[in-house]
Amino acid sequence: MILVTGGSGFIGANFIHHWLTNNEEELLNLDNLSYAANQDNLSEISSDKRYSFVQGSITELDLVVALLNENEPRALINFAAESHVDRSIENPDMFVSSNINGTHTLLKAAHSFWEGLNQEKKEKFRYIQISTDEVYGSLNLNDPKSIEADAYLPNSPYSASKASGDHLVRAWHETYQFPAITTNCTNNYGPFQHEEKLIPLMIKNCLEGKELPLYGDGKNIRDWLFVKDHCEALELVLSQGIIGETYNIGGNNELSNIQVVEKICELLDELKPKEDKKSYREQITFVEDRKGHDFRYGLDISKITNALGWTPTENFDSGLRKTVEWYLNKLKS
């Protein structure tokens, strides 16, 4: 079986659905059910005998140790994290607690568990750290995309806390030969995402007739990765990734925020037109820029493509259509 932390959140829940659809292996989900988690994300599989859930925090050492010893998973995949930049600016403490101290607790518990395994199980065990492109810092418009060997240059409390956790993972591998792998992903989107994030927020505001607020001039650039593509990449990293390596996982879809919102408006104009026939674009507004707002992120994914044969399946238009349709169907139910 495998142990997933933070599996009731956006990416974790999608991974659990993907895993149980494509594998017979059991999965245990440890999640503290913070505001960003939602058990409804997993309601469809809650009765699946291969799935089990424990409520608790990755900062609880005794709990993590007990779960490892009782279940003897062959892998631990850490999705658990505070991830909203605005919240990290307002309250960095919870980000330090979860993303740094929580990662340390997981590593401490998992390393002790791993050392107690027999040689065969030791060789099979993997720890996967799910991280972000934001640790590489901001790029200028014409800069090359970030590669795995680039220095970390985080600029927000969120990205700094994730970078710190990644450094701990690297240190545990280098110092103790602990079998860890880190993945850095770009902006995910798709089903089950919390409404504070850009795409679900804009869909919600469109349908409620509210303003569509964009920071600054809306020209900040992000790469967009459909969450199902991310899950497929992670499954591949777990089965074929090389211990001690880092893999960038991106969608090859760099767009400005204004482009993303305009595409959402175009889709909703088609799929859910307003009664007055006006475009949702008219709801777009610009607000004061976020503090320390990074201009651009972009990941070079040639390493995972060349080493493991993974490339994203969805382009942004196809993935966004699936996402908007999912939210519209959710509103009907």
Side-chain angles (χ1 to χ4, degrees):
M1 63 111 55
I2 66 171
L3 170 60
V4 165
T5 63
S8 299
F10 166 47
I11 302 176
N14 276 281
F15 180 82
I16 291 174
H17 280 282
H18 175 82
W19 183 264
L20 294 177
T21 299
N22 295 282
N23 297 275
E24 292 303 317
E25 198 170 6
E26 293 180 10
L27 184 149
L28 170 62
N29 172 22
L30 172 64
D31 196 298
N32 69 349
L33 298 185
S34 69
Y35 80 94
N38 186 348
Q39 286 296 70
D40 290 342
N41 294 347
L42 299 166
S43 59
E44 293 177 15
I45 53 92
S46 59
S47 59
D48 193 314
K49 293 181 179 179
R50 295 168 297 160
Y51 173 73
S52 54
F53 169 75
V54 172
Q55 183 173 352
S57 171
I58 60 172
T59 61
E60 298 175 61
L61 179 62
D62 291 345
L63 173 61
V64 177
V65 167
L67 290 176
L68 289 168
N69 290 333
E70 290 168 11
N71 296 280
E72 293 195 355
R74 70 173 181 91
L76 192 166
I77 307 178
N78 180 29
F79 293 96
E82 296 290 342
S83 65
H84 196 243
V85 175
D86 286 347
R87 287 179 182 267
S88 81
I89 294 170
E90 295 166 5
N91 182 11
D93 291 6
M94 69 169 85
F95 288 75
V96 171
S97 176
S98 178
N99 301 350
I100 303 177
N101 297 336
T103 299
H104 174 233
T105 299
L106 288 179
L107 289 169
K108 187 176 179 180
H111 175 242
S112 177
F113 164 73
W114 172 74
E115 281 203 314
L117 295 173
N118 63 40
Q119 193 58 34
E120 181 183 359
K121 290 182 177 179
K122 241 184 172 181
E123 291 175 359
K124 291 181 178 179
F125 185 80
R126 296 291 184 273
Y127 174 101
I128 311 294
Q129 175 78 358
I130 312 301
S131 191
T132 171
D133 55 1
E134 298 194 32
V135 296
Y136 295 113
S138 185
L139 299 173
N140 293 317
L141 186 61
N142 296 317
D143 286 342
K145 295 181 178 182
S146 301
I147 63 172
E148 289 84 353
D150 283 348
Y152 275 18
L153 295 169
N155 293 319
S156 70
Y158 161 61
S159 57
S161 67
K162 288 297 292 181
S164 300
D166 295 355
H167 287 319
L168 289 173
V169 173
R170 173 182 169 82
W172 253 247
H173 168 69
E174 294 293 333
T175 302
Y176 307 111
Q177 289 74 56
F178 182 65
I181 301 171
T182 297
T183 62
N184 297 89
C185 68
T186 58
N187 277 32
N188 279 224
Y189 68 101
F192 306 123
Q193 191 165 25
H194 192 276
E195 64 182 33
E196 71 185 359
K197 300 293 187 174
L198 180 67
I199 289 177
L201 175 66
M202 294 301 166
I203 295 171
K204 179 175 179 287
N205 282 11
C206 276
L207 299 176
E208 293 179 357
K210 297 179 180 178
E211 292 183 343
L212 308 179
L214 283 168
Y215 283 126
D217 58 9
K219 294 182 180 178
N220 297 70
I221 297 169
R222 302 292 182 263
D223 175 69
W224 293 91
L225 171 66
F226 192 59
V227 67
K228 188 175 185 294
D229 281 334
H230 189 191
C231 294
E232 291 173 352
L234 293 175
E235 185 179 16
L236 196 59
V237 168
L238 177 59
S239 64
Q240 299 181 31
I242 298 173
I243 291 171
E245 292 293 335
T246 297
Y247 296 95
N248 285 344
I249 304 173
N252 284 337
N253 295 302
E254 284 194 35
L255 294 165
S256 67
N257 290 338
I258 184 66
Q259 288 176 308
V260 171
V261 175
E262 287 175 343
K263 285 178 178 289
I264 292 169
C265 292
E266 289 171 10
L267 271 174
L268 286 172
D269 286 342
E270 171 196 340
L271 299 172
K272 187 75 171 177
K274 298 169 74 169
E275 290 184 4
D276 61 10
K277 305 303 181 184
K278 292 182 179 179
S279 174
Y280 290 99
R281 284 173 179 246
E282 295 184 15
Q283 294 168 223
I284 295 174
T285 60
F286 297 91
V287 298
E288 182 180 352
D289 208 355
R290 167 194 287 162
K291 294 178 181 177
H293 196 180
D294 287 345
F295 173 65
R296 172 182 166 234
Y297 307 129
L299 293 183
D300 184 324
I301 62 169
S302 58
K303 180 176 177 177
I304 192 172
T305 298
N306 295 334
L308 305 182
W310 178 85
T311 54
T313 300
E314 300 289 346
N315 61 45
F316 188 71
D317 288 337
S318 64
L320 184 64
R321 178 173 289 273
K322 289 179 179 179
T323 302
V324 171
E325 288 176 344
W326 184 87
Y327 280 101
L328 290 175
N329 290 330
K330 182 184 176 185
L331 289 172
K332 292 177 184 177
S333 60

